[in-house]
Amino acid sequence: MRIPGHGSSIEGLIQIVNKLIQDLGGQKPLLWRGQADQSWSLQPSIDRQASSATTYAERLAEEQELIREFRDRSRFLLGSIEQAYMSIQNHTSPLVVMQHYGAPTRLLDWTHSPQVALFVASITEPGLDGAAWWINGETLELTVDRFWDRHGMRDASGTVDPNRWAFSVNSRDFLMPFFMPMPFPRIAAQQGCFLLPGRLGCNFEEVLDQMGSECGTSILYGKITFPSQLKTELLKTLQLGNVTAASLDYPGADLVGRSLAQKLHDSRTRTAQ
């Protein structure tokens, strides 16, 4: 069940966040995700601009080709730990490394820190209203556990292997929290985790609602929007708490450089036409 929210001031935004933590924090922390444009949906990078004419089998083949190509091309660029994860012959281990380096994957980044989410929502797109999504961890975990039991997806040890259930043409629609102890400073600094969908191209909000309805629960989630005018002031406020690009190991100025390079390329392409 989606719960809307809007912060029209820094104080109001902080009050909404604190009340959510107070009312819904419980034993499981909330999951947070910052987005620089409040109009963006919850969509992994591999699904963006995907053609509706592509079959699902072709989408899966494309995903496997991306893994193969990243593995081949990054062979002499990664450290030993990343290489070890890339060499594991499953789907999920390489995806975490690829996500870390900005390659398109089905993983969607989340964090246990609302401050990190607000930073990510504010650091780019200064002219656009931002948003911080949140999911109640307790209702998500309860629903996911019931979903596994309902569909007999646990193995003999009682665990669920996403490599078995999430990468075939007949995979079910589901979302699962995905944690992997990758020793990346950025993941640790940003208190990062992922949501892994059972199928490519799924609508995250619809799947959250469908899983809750099917399992007799209600996954509580929502989106807090805030105006673009607050972004600079919010970054200053976060800086006072040492939430900065440096403390989060956030890829900062290089993103600006790539953005300007893309802007120049687009401009020259239009002029040439």
Side-chain angles (χ1 to χ4, degrees), residues 91-112:
H91 305 285
T92 53
S93 298
L95 288 183
V96 174
V97 180
M98 292 170 63
Q99 181 77 0
H100 181 72
Y101 287 105
T105 79
R106 68 168 67 196
L107 300 178
L108 196 64
D109 291 302
W110 292 75
T111 175
H112 288 122

Side-chain angles (χ1 to χ4, degrees), residues 28-269:
K28 296 290 181 181
L30 295 172
L31 301 182
W32 298 87
R33 174 175 172 80
Q35 296 194 161
D37 184 346
Q38 67 86 22
S39 71
W40 292 342
S41 60
L42 295 174
Q43 188 178 50
S45 55
I46 199 172
D47 288 337
R48 295 165 197 166
Q49 299 180 321
S51 171
S52 59
T54 307
T55 68
Y56 196 72
E58 289 170 337
R59 290 290 317 277
L60 289 173
E62 177 186 57
E63 181 179 45
Q64 292 309 303
E65 176 60 21
L66 286 169
I67 293 174
R68 185 202 64 76
E69 185 172 355
F70 187 91
R71 182 182 283 126
D72 290 347
R73 294 177 61 181
S74 66
R75 181 179 178 186
F76 298 107
L77 301 174
L78 299 176
S80 58
I81 295 175
E82 292 98 325
Q83 282 283 10
Y85 276 89
M86 287 301 302
S87 66
I88 297 174
Q89 295 303 306
N90 65 19
H91 305 285
T92 53
S93 298
L95 288 183
V96 174
V97 180
M98 292 170 63
Q99 181 77 0
H100 181 72
Y101 287 105
T105 79
R106 68 168 67 196
L107 300 178
L108 196 64
D109 291 302
W110 292 75
T111 175
H112 288 122
S113 167
Q115 292 83 7
V116 171
L118 291 172
F119 175 89
V120 173
S122 302
I123 196 62
T124 60
E125 306 293 352
L128 299 176
D129 294 350
W133 288 84
W134 59 270
I135 302 178
N136 177 242
E138 285 192 38
T139 57
L140 176 63
E141 183 171 299
L142 172 65
T143 302
V144 169
D145 281 343
R146 290 186 181 181
F147 189 88
W148 302 152
D149 294 336
R150 183 180 180 87
H151 294 285
M153 297 169 70
R154 298 186 189 276
D155 58 27
S157 66
T159 59
V160 174
D161 181 5
N163 293 288
R164 178 183 178 188
W165 298 106
F167 296 90
S168 74
V169 173
N170 298 318
S171 294
R172 300 179 185 275
D173 267 330
F174 64 80
L175 293 171
M176 66 179 295
F178 186 68
F179 307 93
M180 180 169 280
M182 290 287 288
F184 289 155
R186 185 182 305 164
I187 293 179
Q190 297 181 10
Q191 300 179 49
C193 58
F194 309 101
L195 279 186
L196 185 148
R199 292 184 65 84
L200 297 168
C202 76
N203 182 306
F204 274 49
E205 293 184 68
E206 288 182 1
V207 174
L208 288 172
D209 291 336
Q210 289 169 3
M211 289 180 67
S213 176
E214 179 181 338
C215 297
T217 63
S218 181
I219 300 176
L220 302 178
Y221 67 96
K223 180 172 73 170
I224 308 168
T225 60
F226 59 92
S228 60
Q229 294 85 348
L230 293 186
K231 287 189 174 182
T232 298
E233 191 62 33
L234 185 55
L235 289 171
K236 292 178 180 178
T237 301
L238 293 169
Q239 188 175 39
L240 295 176
N242 195 35
V243 180
T244 65
S247 68
L248 300 179
D249 193 24
Y250 188 82
D254 56 333
L255 292 180
V256 177
R258 288 199 294 268
S259 174
L260 291 175
Q262 185 65 47
K263 182 178 180 180
L264 180 62
H265 175 270
D266 293 345
S267 174
R268 289 176 173 174
T269 301

